Amino acid sequence: MNYKKIDGLIAAPFTPFDETGELNLDIIPAYYQLLKTNRVKGAFICGSTGEGVSLTFAEKVEVLKAWRTITKEDPDFALIMFLGGTNIKECKELAKISEEVGADAISFTSPFYFKPADVVQLAKCCKEIAAVAPRTAFYYYHIPVLTGGNYSMYDLLQEIDGKIPTFSGIKYTHEDFMDFLSCMNYQNGKYNMLWGRDENMLSSLVLGCKGAVGSTYNYAAPLYHDLIQAYQQGDLDKANVLQQKSIDMIRLLGKYGGIATGKAYMKLVEMDCGEFRLPVSNMSSDSFEKFKQDVASLGFENFKSTLNVCV
């Protein structure tokens, strides 16, 4: 079974909450339009950035249906649903619903409490989940920094090749370029390898990567389009400068408390997604004012996502 490979920038959207911490799905049409206007090719929903582990099962379904309602008439926009990783039974139920509503792909990551002993066990998990959605592309989500599942993805491909008809590729959020390149070259590029480290995009381009999933593409997609264009034109000096700008931007996430800082960036592109749920800490109002000053010093206005760009 052949599935269309996903190229370009894929955003990992933040799940929007209101002031009480409940879902605020009314802003998803505007969110989708922001991504489309900035030439983002898809959305990887309910993942790390989307706080999938902090959502109830019912909330995940609501988020999925809200995104699918707005994207179903757009064949050029890929909607990838993250199923989770710890509860295999729940992942299967969500996979079935994802196929029923017409998601373009589903994704699963390593169980992170009871961890698979090896890639053989991990492949068994993938096979069981993929089997219940036989018409939907399946992607493994490799993010060992959060799951502790530090498996060789090349070994995983060897284990699943020919055994899971819908297996389409890997969202690769790790820094092992040797493993990543081996996966890209596996069976003459059979599988779609999506890079997942925004701060290392340039390195992935050198290896021939064509698609990437990341959180900063929500609010700074123009920066990465310029980076890709500079690389393609052979202007490595400019590409280097733009990648450093990305790194400087991402460093502010660490300075102001981590992943929740992404929602602060979203406020600066006029897309208020509320705050992160516990146990993640959120920025204080005083810190937000300092954050805005730091962001301004980066020249954020020159490369931020906006609904006013020309495409």
Side-chain angles (χ1 to χ4, degrees), residues 216-238:
T216 63
Y217 311 150
N218 287 293
Y219 47 82
L223 172 65
Y224 296 96
H225 287 308
D226 288 347
L227 191 163
I228 293 169
Q229 183 179 46
Y231 174 76
Q232 291 175 338
Q233 294 176 346
D235 191 344
L236 296 183
D237 289 337
K238 182 177 180 180

Side-chain angles (χ1 to χ4, degrees), residues 14-15 17 21 47-55 146 253-254 256-264 274-284:
F14 299 90
T15 296
F17 299 126
S48 306
T49 303
E51 297 180 78
V53 294
S54 298
L55 302 177
L146 291 181
L253 272 70
Y256 287 96
I259 193 170
T261 306
K263 282 191 171 181
E275 295 189 337
F276 265 66
R277 286 179 173 172
L278 287 171
V280 177
S281 62
N282 290 279
M283 198 180 297
S284 68

Side-chain angles (χ1 to χ4, degrees), residues 74-132:
D74 187 350
D76 297 320
F77 191 89
L79 183 65
I80 307 172
M81 178 64 185
F82 178 61
L83 306 175
T86 294
N87 188 323
I88 302 300
K89 180 175 173 57
E90 184 175 282
C91 288
K92 290 167 65 175
E93 293 175 0
L94 194 52
K96 291 177 184 177
I97 296 171
S98 298
E99 180 158 286
E100 289 170 1
V101 303
D104 296 292
I106 53 178
S107 184
F108 162 76
T109 197
S110 171
F112 44 85
Y113 190 83
F114 294 133
K115 297 181 180 66
D118 49 35
V119 293
V120 175
Q121 285 299 108
L122 181 59
K124 287 180 181 178
C125 297
C126 293
K127 184 176 182 180
E128 185 164 324
I129 295 168
V132 304

